[in-house]
Amino acid sequence: MRGAVLLLAFGSVGVAQAARADIPVAPILVLDADYRQIPRDQEGYGGFALPHVQLGAAVSMTDSVQAIATLGYAGEGIGLSDTGIRVAPRHDVGVSVGYFKSPLFISGRDQFEERLPVPERSMVVQALWPGRDLGVEGHWFPESWPLEAWLRISNGFDSSTGNDNASIALSGRIDLALGRAHAGADPRETYGLRLGCGALWDPKVDDRASVTGKTPAGFVFWRAPIVSAARTVVEGHLLLQAGPVQATVEGGAATEERTLDTDGNPNTPRVAQPSITAWGVAGEVAWTVTGEHRSGDAWPATNAISGFGAIEVATRLERLKLGTGAVDVTSGGAWSTSAAVRWWLKPRLALSVAGYGYAFDTAPLQTPGNTTTWLALARLTFSLR
């Protein structure tokens, strides 16, 4: 998708490599501020919260080379976010080297989190999306063909400092993109379609927690076992646009292998254990009641005539199943439904209210006997990028 994502990724696209005299610097500042209500303290705390903060800059070194560095905070401490070098050797090809997003999932890769119709990514994408890692990626987005493709070679480890073993992960994605969803489309087109799939294969994962589930408040509702050996993630996605309405469906599955050290000797082979699988699907419908229609990852456009901004309403339904396939692991999961109203203002401000409801397959350890919960939040968003 052309728009904010590609502008950020590749700067002024061109083949000239001469250094720019002015060295343009684009600041990046993202801030979400919440007021939350949660039924139980074991699931988090109500009141005011800063769930997301990002600060950084993108520097256009030449007409087709951009350096970007971003620090981010998402409730788990401060660390690097998108950081590295992005190059556009041709108008339809991009290359990224550094710590960047996995290409899997529309709402993971294609959209900035603060611009989603429902605040926060779905629990399905939060669980299954590989996130960010260090690697090299190629991105192809031809103007004349209804295709878009990504290929990434990376560490497969969510760390900006290095790998956790000697293996290299491989991931890729291919999309059919038509109408408003195509990279070179006019954002004023009425209809759009994006249909695609992606996969990640990591041949070796050192001991780490498996895929698990959590709420937007960070409440982990299923205790994840330790996995090791190989990991595979597959996903499929569909985006439909018709005037002011946008519908998104994302689904996927992760299979994670396990091994056990039975003799305490790290030099002897581990014993293979049954692998576990997590799967899920999320469907979302958003309607821009006022203002222009969504296009790519651009800031939801405002009504330039009245200056009132854009009002968007959205709802989401999802199902996540965790830890299936092994008799020694008690599976879990949840159903979830959510709804939001977001008021997209100028310049780069948004006011939102949202509610989330959850029905768990099994009661979480922190709240025995309770298989349902909810979260209500009001959010102020500022986004400069």
Side-chain angles (χ1 to χ4, degrees), residues 358-373:
Y358 294 86
F360 304 127
D361 292 0
T362 57
L365 292 177
Q366 304 93 316
T367 58
N370 292 302
T371 57
T372 61
T373 193

Side-chain angles (χ1 to χ4, degrees), residues 123 212-215 218-223 320 322 332-334 358 360-366:
M123 66 172 178
T212 190
K214 63 181 181 180
T215 70
F219 174 55
V220 178
F221 55 80
W222 182 73
R223 179 166 293 183
L320 178 64
L322 300 162
Y358 294 86
F360 304 127
D361 292 0
T362 57
L365 292 177
Q366 304 93 316

Side-chain angles (χ1 to χ4, degrees), residues 136-158:
V136 179
E137 178 182 288
H139 180 200
W140 180 52
F141 44 101
E143 291 185 358
S144 57
W145 294 3
L147 295 174
E148 192 165 1
W150 296 257
L151 181 64
R152 183 170 180 81
I153 301 173
S154 63
N155 284 343
F157 180 51
D158 189 12

